[in-house]
Amino acid sequence: MYQKVSQLLMYGELSEDEILYQMAELFHRYELGNYDKMELVRDIHVQVKHLLKVATDYGFNENLWQNYLTYFLMMSENPFSMTCEKVGASQGSVNELVKNDLRIFMELFHYDFSEIEQSLGLDCFTRICNYKAIPKKDLMYNHNVSEKVQALSRKLAAAQDEKEFFRLLTQFYKDYGVGMFGLNKAFRIQELPEGGIAFRAINNMDTVMLDDLIGYEIQKKKLVDNTEAFVQGKRANNCLLFGDSGTGKSTSIKAIVNQYYDQGLRMIEIYKHQFQYLSYIISEIKNRNYRFIIYMDDLSFEEFEIEYKFLKAVIEGGVETKPDNILIYATSNRRHLIKETWNDRNDMDTTLDKHHSDTMEEKLSLVNRFGVTINYSKPSQKEYFHIVIELAKKRGLHFSEQELQQEANKWELSHGGISGRTAEQFVTYLESVESENSQL
């Protein structure tokens, strides 16, 4: 195994903590014959444990060794894989170099572990190559990643030669991309202790679709029209969804990402205190073959906050042209994002010799940078009942419309008033009540 891994070129730049690197080093010790048996067995078990952790994190099953190698290939961002992501596999000398790498991976896919198992008295490799995971509904792994890895793993394992292996892998790069952006829908920003930031995939993103949001047809159409233009490479605008709490603003954006993921749409969620990193985030994603929505939930600014300046600078752009593959979608309970005070209406601040109107104009101009603004207002009583009735039908609840309206009216009086969120909470309550009654 060590000799095979050491011959890798395009995929050979392995970090020392990579499982494949560590496995190759352990097999090298075994092949040289200069090892302490108990120590080598212990070190092999450590790496098998790491592999099992990866399998658990991503919900892998069956042949975990092949699943891991497939995941490694999917995540390997190198000049070849990045080019395939953008334009597919082109003709060139690099293809022959890569095919040599993939021939090695084919051999690793079907590596015979029987010799080392018999020599060291192990059975761990047999077990991980014939693994039966216990299905659990509450696992919070990313099902999208799990399904794609295992589907490609089976195809690669069945490949007849390195040419077919090459075709399957490069087609995956072209269809879905490479690295974390290829496998995941949504990301958040993590600030690192040593400084800087990293992208972290959101594994348990809500699977809501636009049809699940009852009502707001005009609002949804505006959002769909703008997003469709964006994913098709046409001109599109930044979007601000504003209005009352619980009306479905955030749900609409999550649904949009779910609906257009297969067309290359991705979402990066960022919080207000992270706006200082906006320029860096954009520089990291502007050359990728995806369309990114930078998502800002519940966006608003108090009088003393200056983070809006970072956002305004990014939207307006400087010398560098704003990338065509990035839009900003934000939700807010405030139409103008900024809380206006009485002092803002008093034009002159004599203590600082400045005009409040100038400051307010700068703040309020931010909302004008969103080309599409969509109002999600609180539903009327009739619309509220309609949402309740339709949600109850979707969930298969057995209540008459009259019963639903009577109970929904009581519910909203004691649960924060009329809104789509209140309707959903009420139907969820009814669902639990009906489930309890059916078990009695």
Side-chain angles (χ1 to χ4, degrees), residues 157-175:
Q160 297 300 310
D161 52 34
E162 64 266 26
K163 290 183 180 178
E164 185 178 358
F165 200 100
F166 178 91
R167 180 184 61 78
L168 290 167
L169 184 61
T170 54
Q171 187 61 48
F172 181 89
Y173 288 152
K174 183 66 173 66
D175 291 343

Side-chain angles (χ1 to χ4, degrees), residues 208-220 223 240-255 295 297-298 330-335 374-381 383-384 387 391 415-425:
V208 64
M209 301 300 287
L210 282 173
D211 288 343
D212 297 327
L213 181 63
I214 308 300
Y216 298 98
E217 298 304 324
I218 295 175
Q219 290 87 339
K220 289 189 292 185
L223 191 61
L240 172 64
L241 282 60
F242 71 93
D244 298 298
S245 177
T247 51
K249 302 183 295 294
S250 300
T251 300
S252 294
I253 293 179
K254 293 173 187 175
Y295 171 48
D297 192 29
D298 196 18
T331 67
S332 180
N333 294 338
R334 295 175 179 172
R335 171 65 178 85
I374 306 174
N375 182 16
Y376 279 70
S377 57
K378 184 182 296 186
S380 65
Q381 188 83 46
E383 290 169 335
Y384 170 66
I387 293 171
L391 284 175
H415 289 82
I418 293 174
S419 72
R421 180 181 297 145
T422 303
E424 184 172 4
Q425 291 170 346

Side-chain angles (χ1 to χ4, degrees), residues 175-204:
D175 291 343
Y176 296 102
V178 60
M180 68 167 66
F181 292 131
L183 289 176
N184 298 280
K185 296 178 183 178
F187 309 83
R188 60 170 52 96
I189 301 302
Q190 180 182 1
E191 297 176 64
L192 303 175
E194 63 273 18
I197 61 171
F199 295 98
R200 293 287 181 260
I202 300 175
N203 290 332
N204 55 339

